[in-house]
Amino acid sequence: MEKYTLLPEQLLYEGTISESVFFAPEPLPEAAILRTHTPGYWHKLKTNTLDRKEARAIGFPMRPELIARGRVIAQGTLDCARIAFREGVALNIAGGTHHSFAERGEGFCVFNDIAIAANELLHSGEISKALVVDLDVHQGNGTAKIFEHEPRVFTLSFHGEKNYPHRKTTSDLDVGFPDKTGDAEYLARLYEVLPNVLDRERPDIVFYLSGVDILATDKLGRLACTLDGCKERDRFVFQTCYDRNLPVSVSMGGGYSERLATIIEAHANTYRVAEGIFG
Ligand SMILES: [Zn+2]
């Protein structure tokens, strides 16, 4: 949890960003929650009546403050998307809760921020197509399921084949890697896949889930990428979108390296690279 305060501190300290570019989201309105999540699930969250099994699947005891926090984070991703329309890129210092389904949560994910933002923008007519580039090491099972029958949202997930979730859902395009996959193999697939998908799908916005749990040092990752490889991944995503004039809304996603400094460095790289390309 410390990364959410340390990351902005680091970015300010080193001058990658200034205080003036921060924005603070309001809690997401109920109507927007209900465009993605079922009324039954939202009712249970609101009244704190998830049963023990449902709460255990999410992984932490549900408290009203966590619901409130989730609503602010989801609105943050929606705000990022709208800022990205103007500025090219905007990044949420949280979010990427891709294990949340329409009717339930799991894996520490209550609301699905990217699904909520995409559905809201489709509903308002601000976009007609979205692309989810989910490069967190865990498969975006909730996002894939939510958009299973939605042709206006293309879901792409790169993940560890053997990693959680062990029962995977089907994204529009899944790329699974064996344990210990390193930079060369990982990046080669990215270079091959991403430009093709962008050129074929021609989205109005890209939602990039930039989890840094692909690092060799990650306790939950199982892959073997380096900090430089992870930075190059981010650079390639941003450059490929920038070259096509595509706005990018970034949700931070996972990062569980042993040393907190490694986690902060990897996430900070995402901001440094975004600033270098779009700034
Ligand atoms: Zn993850």
Side-chain angles (χ1 to χ4, degrees):
M1 294 303 287
E2 290 154 284
K3 73 181 185 181
Y4 300 107
T5 45
L6 289 174
L7 176 62
E9 278 175 19
Q10 173 61 32
L11 293 168
L12 285 167
Y13 171 76
E14 69 186 31
T16 297
I17 56 175
S18 62
E19 203 63 76
S20 65
V21 301
F22 277 94
F23 67 94
E26 298 292 323
L28 183 77
E30 280 194 283
I33 295 172
L34 292 170
R35 274 188 252 290
T36 291
H37 294 288
T38 61
Y41 179 46
W42 170 231
H43 180 79
K44 285 185 205 168
L45 290 173
K46 202 166 47 171
T47 54
N48 207 3
T49 51
L50 288 178
D51 66 35
R52 275 175 56 183
K53 197 171 155 225
E54 290 167 320
R56 204 178 322 122
I58 292 174
F60 43 63
M62 206 45 63
R63 283 180 288 121
E65 307 83 71
L66 286 171
I67 309 296
R69 180 176 182 273
R71 285 177 79 167
V72 170
I73 290 170
Q75 180 67 46
T77 297
L78 180 56
D79 288 352
C80 275
R82 289 182 170 137
I83 293 168
F85 292 146
R86 293 198 312 269
E87 308 285 340
V89 70
L91 302 90
N92 192 341
I93 298 191
T97 42
H98 56 168
H99 304 308
S100 163
F101 290 74
E103 74 291 350
R104 64 188 174 87
E106 66 171 52
F108 306 107
C109 300
V110 179
F111 301 107
N112 191 312
D113 63 314
I114 289 178
I116 285 171
N119 277 327
E120 189 63 18
L121 296 172
L122 286 167
H123 174 80
S124 65
E126 287 162 276
I127 61 166
S128 48
K129 179 128 198 183
L131 176 69
V132 180
V133 177
D134 185 337
L135 303 189
D136 186 280
V137 84
H138 303 101
Q139 194 217 20
N141 56 343
T143 317
K145 185 71 184 168
I146 288 168
F147 293 122
E148 193 178 18
H149 303 297
E150 174 51 91
R152 297 175 299 171
V153 180
F154 189 96
T155 52
L156 166 64
S157 178
F158 275 35
H159 48 261
E161 193 60 55
K162 291 248 174 65
N163 212 324
Y164 171 90
H166 298 293
R167 191 183 303 160
K168 299 194 171 39
T169 58
T170 307
S171 311
D172 290 300
L173 182 55
D174 283 301
V175 179
F177 293 100
D179 287 357
K180 303 258 188 275
T181 297
D183 293 345
E185 198 184 331
Y186 185 95
L187 291 169
R189 290 291 276 156
L190 183 66
Y191 297 156
E192 172 197 329
V193 167
L194 185 63
N196 282 329
V197 170
L198 287 176
D199 292 338
R200 195 179 64 228
E201 299 301 324
R202 304 168 65 82
D204 302 307
I205 187 163
V206 169
F207 288 97
Y208 176 33
L209 212 171
S210 63
V212 298
D213 42 14
I214 65 167
L215 294 177
T217 48
D218 199 275
K219 287 179 282 185
L220 307 177
R222 306 177 71 127
L223 300 191
C225 292
T226 66
L227 270 171
D228 282 345
C230 191
K231 187 177 188 180
E232 168 58 14
R233 175 198 73 168
D234 293 341
R235 188 204 63 79
F236 186 75
V237 171
F238 289 130
Q239 190 67 52
T240 309
C241 293
Y242 180 82
D243 290 345
R244 288 160 181 76
N245 218 358
L246 269 172
V248 188
S249 168
V250 184
S251 297
M252 194 159 78
Y256 318 95
S257 288
E258 197 70 60
R259 291 178 63 238
L260 189 55
T262 310
I263 301 174
I264 301 301
E265 178 68 5
H267 284 307
N269 278 339
T270 309
Y271 287 74
R272 293 167 187 149
V273 167
E275 176 60 26
I277 292 172
F278 289 90

